[in-house]
Amino acid sequence: MMVVSRARVTRALLVLVLAVALAACSTLAVLGCRPQLAGGGTGADTGSGSGGVTPGSGGTGGTGGPGGTGGQPPPPADTAFCPLCGAEEPRAALLHRPLAVCVDNQSAARPQSGLKDACLVYEVLTEGGITRFLAFYLHEKATAVGPIRSLRPYLLDLSMALGAPIAFVGGSQAALDDVATLAASALAINEMSYPYPFWRSEARSSPHNAYAGIAELRSASVALGYEPATLSNPTVPAFSFAPTPDKAVLPTGQTVQRFTLTYAAGAGDYSVTYDFDSEAGQWMRYLGRSAQVDAVDGHQLRATTVIVQFVSSSVIPGDSEGRLKLNLTGGGSCRVFCQGRTFTASWAKSGRTSGLTYTDASGKPLNLPPGPVWVLIAPPNSAVTTQ
């Protein structure tokens, strides 16, 4: 039997380790010592390729497209600015489409789950004077969002503007017709036809008991062909954001501590009040006289910026439920509440799939501080009172 000495084994192992190290160094020399990123680009790519862009550098693939998100300086290479709320997040967390979820706001649906985790939330009137939320998620992964309710055509106008797959449970006939006609833009995730990501809570009664998690909705979006597992570039920006609150450039406006929106033609218990928390720099939300909170942890809903967007609406002729048509194409006025003050601004949207833009009195895009944005879409004759 052959006996191999310990010294000979040790020498053999050292030779093997040295060979592997030399091979690795040779490979890095070929790559210019740059780690490969998803999409085939290298870490030094400046935006002209399909991957490895530097967010906000002005290249074609940076966050917010040319010029970055609202003129923010480029973050570190492994982070980027969220185009929906301005938060600096790991770049990988932004390389997919935003997800939009239709969330119930009837009394039987409260408290809701997951609204506190949304980057951007729209609140809109529906039939009967009640309101509904359309919540957008990009980097947060709420484990439960809901209760999820049915789709209306104007909710599609908002989701298509940001290229977002939209999760809902059924819808009006007009909305479902739009989904069929605008399939390539509508990106529907409907529980009625694709139940996988949804579940029903036994603690709530139907129809106020449908929920979904963001991770499950993301998987559904990929499975339905709405996006690859990872996109080369983040989504288009919803707003222009400053890198920090103190660098936000806003009109002076009027100092305000509290404001209340009473929707014209809205049911009485949908009046919403926001109190400004100067320490947090956020607006705390109240529905009627009660704080509106998250069902999971009791966290009060809040926003860094609240925009009251005035949009004309009308009851659809012959609709037995009194469903509404909202005129989101065109433009109009709005009131912005940010950093403890308010000022007037304008909104514009050129088509159903085009983005919404918000500008100040001089025509410049609003430059908001980073943080969640809530947009309350209300009829022009709705009352806004301030204190």
Side-chain angles (χ1 to χ4, degrees), residues 27-161:
T27 301
L28 286 175
V30 172
L31 295 176
C33 296
R34 299 170 185 170
Q36 288 288 323
L37 302 179
T42 65
D45 195 306
T46 59
S48 58
S50 63
V53 293
T54 302
S57 64
T60 59
T63 303
T69 305
Q72 292 168 311
D78 59 347
T79 66
F81 294 113
C82 173
L84 303 186
C85 70
E88 186 174 344
E89 297 291 336
R91 177 177 164 78
L94 303 176
L95 290 179
H96 41 238
R97 292 181 182 272
L99 292 167
V101 185
C102 300
V103 178
D104 195 353
N105 194 31
Q106 288 184 263
S107 57
R110 304 177 203 144
Q112 295 91 341
S113 299
L115 288 174
K116 69 181 180 63
D117 299 312
C119 300
L120 167 65
V121 178
Y122 287 93
E123 183 174 19
V124 298
L125 276 172
T126 62
E127 60 274 10
I130 64 177
T131 68
R132 188 159 298 173
F133 301 112
L134 187 65
F136 288 82
Y137 301 83
L138 188 57
H139 50 82
E140 293 290 348
K141 295 182 179 180
T143 56
V145 179
I148 301 174
R149 287 300 301 272
S150 54
L151 183 65
R152 298 292 180 269
Y154 44 85
L155 297 176
L156 273 178
D157 292 354
L158 297 171
S159 66
M160 291 190 298

Side-chain angles (χ1 to χ4, degrees), residues 62 90 132 161 186 238 246 263 286 292 321 327 343 353 376:
R132 188 159 298 173
D246 60 300
Y263 287 93
Y286 295 82
Q292 193 160 9
E321 302 295 331
N327 299 313
F343 55 89
T353 61
L376 317 180

Side-chain angles (χ1 to χ4, degrees), residues 352-373:
R352 292 199 68 182
T353 61
S354 62
L356 270 162
T357 59
Y358 299 86
T359 54
D360 62 21
S362 66
K364 296 179 180 178
L366 298 183
N367 184 243
L368 305 177
V373 180

Side-chain angles (χ1 to χ4, degrees), residues 206-287:
S206 180
H208 312 288
N209 64 343
Y211 293 82
I214 294 303
E216 289 80 8
L217 290 174
R218 179 73 58 207
S219 296
S221 177
V222 173
L224 289 167
Y226 298 154
E227 59 182 311
T230 302
L231 300 179
S232 298
N233 310 311
T235 189
V236 296
F239 302 94
S240 169
F241 292 99
T244 57
D246 60 300
K247 289 183 170 57
V249 180
L250 297 168
T252 303
Q254 170 191 351
T255 300
V256 60
Q257 180 63 37
R258 168 183 294 182
F259 74 92
T260 297
L261 167 65
T262 302
Y263 287 93
D269 61 346
Y270 289 90
S271 294
V272 61
T273 295
Y274 283 88
D275 279 351
F276 185 63
D277 183 334
S278 58
E279 184 173 341
Q282 293 187 310
W283 299 91
M284 314 301 286
R285 180 179 170 96
Y286 295 82
L287 195 59

